[in-house]
Amino acid sequence: MNLTHLDENDKPKMVDVSSKPETVRSATASGLIEMSPDAYEAVVTQRAKKGPVLQTAVIAAIQGAKRTPELIPMCHPLMLSSVKTEIEELPDLPGFRLWVTAKLTGKTGVEMEALTGVSVGLLTIYDMLKAIDKGMVIREIRLESKTGGKSGEFRRD
């Protein structure tokens, strides 16, 4: 099996994408944060001491997507054309599901940017609420869909 991130001498390398055609690519990822009813209430009533939790999480998710190559080894720096977020309130959990969609026209996919955006957004929610609930659980960070590139489309069932 050929490993794409190792050269013939087993030294780490970034994959060469220079010969790949540019295509429109997008990826959507999501993740959950489960919390106590008190923490959830602080968010929806905007009474968290650190400020507007969901708005801050959106900014963090976008920034996380943009800074992915600084955090994940071998990720190519990408010129993202769009990063969109959506936050779903889940009062019965209680908690929130964060969705991040990253898009570009380029030679490599944006799955890692969407996944990193979700991770950073959810970690920001945790950070802003940890004084209320240190037992929050971040889970189910996953790729929901991707389009473009050689491997084509993927949609989670």
Side-chain angles (χ1 to χ4, degrees):
M1 169 169 62
N2 285 343
L3 300 176
T4 60
H5 286 82
L6 294 177
D7 69 12
E8 61 278 354
N9 298 314
D10 289 335
K11 292 192 325 194
K13 69 169 185 166
M14 182 183 278
V15 173
D16 183 356
V17 297
S18 59
S19 64
K20 293 173 75 174
E22 287 196 349
T23 61
V24 175
R25 298 162 182 262
S26 69
T28 299
S30 75
L32 287 171
I33 185 163
E34 186 175 351
M35 61 191 59
S36 69
D38 288 344
Y40 181 83
E41 186 68 20
V43 175
V44 297
T45 61
Q46 296 196 19
R47 288 193 333 237
K49 290 183 180 179
K50 286 192 172 184
V53 175
L54 300 182
Q55 294 90 329
T56 306
V58 165
I59 294 166
I62 293 168
Q63 189 167 359
K66 291 168 61 175
R67 301 195 75 167
T68 298
E70 295 174 34
L71 301 169
I72 308 294
M74 310 305 174
C75 279
H76 292 84
L78 303 177
M79 286 295 298
L80 297 172
S81 56
S82 174
V83 178
K84 294 182 180 176
T85 64
E86 182 180 327
I87 298 178
E88 179 183 1
E89 294 182 9
L90 302 170
D92 292 339
L93 193 55
F96 300 90
R97 179 178 290 278
L98 173 62
W99 302 78
V100 173
T101 300
K103 186 176 178 183
L104 62 67
T105 300
K107 297 179 179 223
T108 189
V110 290
E111 298 92 342
M112 293 310 301
E113 285 71 15
L115 288 161
T116 302
V118 167
S119 300
V120 172
L122 293 174
L123 287 168
T124 298
I125 292 172
Y126 185 96
D127 178 57
M128 294 184 76
L129 297 172
K130 68 183 182 256
I132 300 170
D133 179 10
K134 288 179 179 47
M136 289 176 282
V137 176
I138 294 171
R139 59 187 169 97
E140 297 179 28
I141 296 173
R142 62 191 188 190
L143 182 66
E144 297 289 351
S145 64
K146 73 161 276 305
T147 62
K150 184 177 172 183
S151 66
E153 289 198 21
F154 166 81
R155 294 222 182 280
R156 182 170 296 284
D157 294 330

